[in-house]
Amino acid sequence: MSRGRTEVPGLLIALTSLLLLIAAAGKDCWRQGAKDQLTSVGLSSRCRGLWGECVHDSMVGLRTCDVSVSYMENLPADLLAMRVAVVGTCIVSVLSILVLIPGLRCTTLIPSVQAQGRLRQISGALCLCGGVCGATGLLWYGVDTYTRYKQEVTLGMPGITFEFGLSYWLMVGSVLCSLTSAVLAVRRASDISDAIGVQRTLTHSQPPHTSPAMSRQSTSDYKTYI
């Protein structure tokens, strides 16, 4: 039961990270129309995603989306970076979970404790790579979004200004969960490795054990020989 208390939370956090990432990609609303005095269209909401842009008319209840015909066209660098970050983080998250499950000590898929510790270290490294990849895309995309918003607000440009959408914040939560799971997995694996090292040291430092029966027998044989 103690094993599950220390290792299962890391798995649950990794699963939460993957679910948040899937929700962010499915919602695909990384920039949404800002609700300020500069927005000329107040009866509709606009979402700009990584793969297209959608407009929802609240009066009619109609939603129309404009999806890119070709994915090989010239796109902004921040959009390409965010696409790569989402796809890469999703793949790495799935791999880390698949590696972490047999590495849990509460499972019997792998009998060796040392092998399970190595799997947890690999899973933690994958979660760390996924978190760094996602954080890099978020930073790039966020700086560009914030810079454009401040520029449009400062210059008083009419039209629709964009701010961070729901998918962006879901991705932030996914990255935080991924980094937390990486810390838990690596820390737990390092603790187990240290414990195994201490146990080996104590085993090699102990003198060979001689049973009392053997001692008495050797003494009696010596006396009989004399």
Side-chain angles (χ1 to χ4, degrees):
M1 192 68 182
S2 59
R3 297 176 180 177
R5 290 177 181 176
T6 56
E7 298 172 355
V8 172
L11 176 61
L12 295 179
I13 294 175
L15 290 174
T16 303
S17 174
L18 181 59
L19 292 177
L20 289 175
L21 183 59
I22 294 175
K27 182 65 177 176
D28 199 27
C29 183
W30 300 87
R31 289 172 180 164
Q32 64 182 6
K35 300 177 177 61
D36 53 18
Q37 65 273 13
L38 298 177
T39 304
S40 59
V41 183
L43 300 179
S44 62
S45 59
R46 185 182 297 267
C47 276
R48 181 172 293 177
L50 302 180
W51 315 100
E53 187 172 345
C54 296
V55 178
H56 178 73
D57 193 340
S58 58
M59 294 293 294
V60 184
L62 182 64
R63 180 182 177 88
T64 58
C65 296
D66 183 15
V67 182
S68 301
V69 179
S70 175
Y71 298 113
M72 303 298 293
E73 59 184 353
N74 294 327
L75 297 172
D78 62 310
L79 183 61
L80 291 176
M82 201 62 201
R83 284 183 178 182
V84 173
V86 170
V87 175
T89 305
C90 185
I91 294 175
V92 173
S93 297
V94 173
L95 291 178
S96 65
I97 292 174
L98 293 179
V99 173
L100 180 60
I101 291 177
L104 297 177
R105 297 186 66 189
C106 56
T107 62
T108 58
L109 298 176
I110 298 179
S112 176
V113 178
Q114 296 180 356
Q116 288 181 336
R118 294 191 187 96
L119 288 179
R120 282 191 294 272
Q121 289 179 345
I122 295 174
S123 176
L126 290 175
C127 287
L128 182 61
C129 292
V132 172
C133 179
T136 303
L138 284 174
L139 182 61
W140 196 333
Y141 196 81
V143 169
D144 186 80
T145 302
Y146 181 77
T147 303
R148 290 185 181 182
Y149 177 80
K150 293 298 293 183
Q151 183 180 3
E152 293 174 356
V153 171
T154 302
L155 297 178
M157 299 174 60
I160 299 177
T161 57
F162 287 93
E163 60 184 4
F164 297 113
L166 178 60
S167 295
Y168 187 86
W169 300 115
L170 290 175
M171 183 73 174
V172 171
S174 175
V175 169
L176 293 178
C177 290
S178 180
L179 294 176
T180 304
S181 178
V183 172
L184 291 177
V186 174
R187 182 177 179 181
R188 178 59 182 168
S190 61
D191 292 342
I192 294 176
S193 299
D194 294 341
I196 293 175
V198 172
Q199 185 177 3
R200 286 181 176 178
T201 303
L202 293 176
T203 302
H204 289 295
S205 62
Q206 287 179 355
H209 180 70
T210 305
S211 62
M214 292 294 295
S215 300
R216 289 195 298 268
Q217 184 178 359
S218 61
T219 304
S220 60
D221 293 341
Y222 179 73
K223 290 179 180 181
T224 303
Y225 179 76
I226 292 175

